[in-house]
Amino acid sequence: MTASTSGHPLSGRAAIVGIGETGYVRGADETVLEMVLGASMAAIRDAGLTPADIDGILPPPGFVAWDEIAAHLGIPDVRYTSTPQMGGASPTAALTTAMMAIASGVAETILVPIGWNGYSALRPRPDAKPSKRRFSAAFFETVRNYYGPYGLRSAPWWYSLYLQRYVELYDVPPEAPGAVAVAARKHAQLRPNALMHGRAMTMDDYLASPYITEPLRKFDCCVETDCAAAVVVTSAERARDLPHRPVLLLGGAEGHANPAHELTNRADVLDLGLSRAAPRAFEMAGVTARDMDFLQIYDCFTHVVLLQLEALGLAERGGAPDLVKGGALELGGAYPLNTAGGMLSQGHCWGLNLVVEAARQLRHDAGDAQVHGAELGLVTGYGDLGDGSIVILGRG
Amino acid sequence: MSTADKQIPRPAELDLEFFQAATSTGELHVQKCADCSDHHHPPRLYCPRCFSDRYVFEKVSGRGTVYSYTVSHFTTEKAWKDEVPWATIVVQLDEGPRLVGTARGIDPGAIRIGLPVRVVTETVTDDFAYLWVEADAGAEPEKTGNERAEEAR
């Protein structure tokens, strides 16, 4: 049992008590709404609860809104709802919001859902039901005016604008991002629901993969999938009466680079939102990155993982390539990473699949991927143009 | 390489003022605070340095150096399929702000951080100017890109 030792008024007051996820597929049978409701019901049932117990809903922006979820699930009395505007960092950021809402008594039992048609939005099956589900954000205006005209239409092209500087200034060898990709793929072989289950990848395969836009190769990029996931968070007191071992929220924070709405005009373009968020979360939890038994790091792109390892304080700027050598990120290594395959090899579920996996690890229910005796772990989020979020979790 | 068939945006509000300053004169302009003279990009309604709401768009030389870049080998856009590999450069302007544009007349393989470059505008519509990045032949080649990168560490 991991108790909070920091004395922070939010630390250890709330716990993840239910988890749910769909498969991670290309061309789902269900609509986005059906997937979100399915994962949500799975999480609520896993918690030993019914929709009538839910009184808060914190969905990410776009796709499915809280009122649809409440209506379709028959949640009778929603006391609190809010939506972080942080793209892929939103689900993990929502967990900190849940900590605040629960500790303050504004709500008691909160649903954090996400689901999308990350693959099928652009490539619908011929027999697919019509869908208008999509995502929009204020920074899209920056992209339209200042990146899009130059052929930079989506995340790999945008982020490469700063990742290439990281690679050139710090002589980052391709084997460093390769180690992230290979670890994720190895771990996906232990999860039958991972998109890349059954599709092994070696470092040679990685190095042979073609560039999309330098420094990003094809295998540096996460896999676009149709999927949904959800977790249920409640008070630490109520968690004690529910079926599963509680997973305590010990610390949580968000952070944003300045300016947040444009990538290239930051004093230091390698300064992620997580650089600011991580120290706040560790302070709240009373622990450091080196205390973690595993890391679930938002792996939209491998180089972004390297930068986050540095932002967490595990390495100096430019030091991540040394840190990840020798299988350090693989199960059995010093820093087991994304033990279900992450977004690189399990599926892109806006990082909430990383939260689901972290909860499994801390319940000691992660099967062949179990980190022996795991007591502490963290999950990060990275979204839009570098917004960062993080939660520190402990076995209750 | 040309702007034909490329995605041409229709900027609004303050971004439109940035582009119209260029399209109406044929020359690159960047927002400058009318109180503290700080330059910024993209434009903002309040100066991030002194919080003034008074600003002008001021003509700049376009001169600067490569701050970062990407060479793209793949695209899902029809208009760019014949352009691969093309390079996009983040230019550190001498005046301070950074601008993004397409490399023109520079071998993508020769681009390095610190290379002297110049931003040139091309008026595409009344409301949008394309930004090209060319080698700055007039610049003193006093340091190589690698030497500048070394300094940046």
Side-chain angles (χ1 to χ4, degrees):
Chain A
M1 157 123 189
T2 304
S4 174
T5 54
S6 71
H8 189 285
L10 288 186
S11 186
R13 298 281 304 281
I16 296 171
V17 293
I19 56 179
E21 62 187 339
T22 62
Y24 298 87
V25 301
R26 293 183 160 174
D29 292 327
E30 301 94 350
T31 65
V32 173
L33 178 62
E34 288 164 350
M35 288 193 292
V36 168
L37 298 176
S40 297
M41 278 304 288
I44 293 166
R45 288 183 176 131
D46 180 63
L49 300 171
T50 75
D53 293 301
I54 301 295
D55 60 5
I57 308 175
L58 307 178
F63 304 106
V64 177
W66 70 269
D67 48 352
E68 292 176 281
I69 295 169
H72 285 284
L73 292 185
I75 297 171
D77 187 10
V78 177
R79 292 202 286 170
Y80 182 63
T81 176
S82 85
T83 290
Q85 301 287 339
M86 299 169 60
S90 302
T92 300
L95 293 177
T96 301
T97 309
M99 292 170 74
M100 295 189 285
I102 290 165
S104 65
V106 168
E108 187 186 28
T109 302
I110 291 178
L111 175 70
V112 179
I114 165 68
W116 73 325
N117 45 2
Y119 182 80
S120 294
L122 298 175
R123 315 165 191 82
R125 266 167 45 175
D127 61 339
K129 298 174 197 170
S131 174
K132 291 181 179 173
R133 301 293 174 177
R134 58 188 306 164
F135 167 57
S136 188
F139 82 91
F140 281 17
E141 196 60 17
T142 302
V143 167
R144 268 193 290 271
N145 290 326
Y146 301 111
Y147 310 156
Y150 310 109
L152 315 177
R153 290 296 301 286
S154 62
W157 287 268
W158 308 331
Y159 299 164
S160 63
L161 288 180
Y162 78 93
L163 296 176
Q164 178 62 28
R165 185 171 168 87
Y166 176 59
V167 167
E168 187 168 319
L169 287 188
Y170 298 98
D171 293 323
V172 177
E175 288 79 6
V180 176
V182 167
R185 187 61 67 90
K186 215 173 239 188
H187 298 161
Q189 304 318 309
L190 305 173
R191 277 282 182 279
N193 75 357
L195 183 73
M196 291 299 170
H197 181 74
R199 294 173 69 175
M201 183 182 77
T202 65
M203 183 64 85
D204 285 343
D205 295 332
Y206 167 83
L207 293 171
S209 75
Y211 277 121
I212 302 295
T213 188
E214 295 180 40
L216 298 175
R217 291 173 162 81
K218 181 178 174 184
F219 290 159
D220 289 312
C221 304
C222 60
V223 289
E224 293 172 310
T225 40
D226 304 333
C227 52
V231 301
V232 173
V233 184
T234 192
S235 66
E237 295 77 43
R238 189 174 191 186
R240 283 196 285 268
D241 301 328
L242 299 179
H244 292 286
R245 189 81 177 228
V247 173
L248 292 170
L249 285 154
L250 300 176
E254 68 182 64
H256 308 276
N258 178 23
H261 80 314
E262 204 274 324
L263 273 174
T264 69
N265 275 280
R266 296 165 182 169
D268 176 2
V269 291
L270 303 181
D271 185 22
L272 308 182
L274 185 66
S275 314
R276 302 170 188 227
R280 297 169 189 158
F282 288 130
E283 187 185 352
M284 187 190 292
V287 297
T288 73
R290 295 194 186 278
D291 297 322
M292 298 298 116
D293 296 307
F294 61 84
L295 308 171
Q296 308 288 342
I297 296 185
Y298 197 94
D299 54 341
C300 47
F301 302 96
T302 56
H303 300 75
V304 178
V305 173
L306 297 176
L307 283 167
Q308 289 180 87
L309 289 167
E310 295 171 10
L312 289 169
L314 290 170
E316 296 291 305
R317 172 69 61 81
D322 279 337
L323 188 81
V324 304
K325 280 180 181 166
L329 302 180
E330 297 176 15
L331 283 162
Y335 307 101
L337 174 80
N338 298 357
T339 46
M343 310 206 314
L344 286 163
S345 281
Q346 184 186 37
H348 185 327
C349 209
W350 293 45
L352 201 52
N353 50 326
L354 303 177
V355 176
V356 167
E357 172 64 11
R360 279 213 184 90
Q361 288 284 350
L362 292 169
R363 289 176 175 184
H364 294 178
D365 198 17
D368 292 340
Q370 182 63 49
V371 174
H372 181 70
E375 291 282 327
L376 283 169
L378 64 77
V379 185
T380 72
Y382 173 97
D384 286 355
L385 297 179
D387 297 319
S389 54
I390 177 172
V391 288
I392 319 285
L393 303 170
R395 179 172 165 83
Chain B
M1 186 180 281
S2 79
T3 61
D5 303 324
K6 306 271 192 318
Q7 292 258 334
I8 303 305
R10 287 189 290 177
E13 301 181 19
L14 201 52
D15 296 315
L16 181 59
E17 294 182 38
F18 166 79
F19 286 111
Q20 286 182 336
T23 60
S24 63
T25 63
E27 293 178 300
L28 181 66
H29 287 60
V30 171
Q31 189 189 34
K32 185 175 101 167
C33 175
D35 283 307
C36 78
S37 298
D38 198 38
H39 291 84
H40 2 96
H41 182 77
R44 304 197 223 179
L45 288 170
Y46 290 85
C47 171
R49 184 159 171 260
C50 76
F51 308 109
S52 164
D53 63 354
R54 298 174 59 242
Y55 62 87
V56 294
F57 283 90
E58 185 183 73
K59 187 188 155 198
V60 291
S61 67
R63 286 193 147 159
T65 55
V66 173
Y67 180 79
S68 190
Y69 60 97
T70 185
V71 179
S72 300
H73 299 261
F74 173 80
T75 179
T76 56
E77 282 186 81
K78 215 182 197 175
W80 286 89
K81 290 216 191 289
D82 291 337
E83 312 283 13
V84 293
W86 83 91
T88 311
I89 296 180
V90 181
V91 178
Q92 173 73 65
L93 288 180
D94 290 347
E95 289 82 2
R98 301 182 193 123
L99 297 175
V100 175
T102 302
R104 181 162 70 179
I106 309 176
D107 171 14
I111 298 170
R112 293 291 178 275
I113 292 169
L115 190 74
V117 289
R118 206 162 61 96
V119 178
V120 177
T121 69
E122 176 187 337
T123 297
V124 178
T125 68
D126 286 349
D127 297 341
F128 179 70
Y130 200 89
L131 304 185
W132 296 101
V133 183
E134 300 177 342
D136 189 359
E140 282 287 309
E142 54 193 23
K143 291 191 178 94
T144 67
N146 284 341
E147 283 164 349
R148 288 185 186 220
E150 195 64 44
E151 281 176 13
R153 288 173 209 227

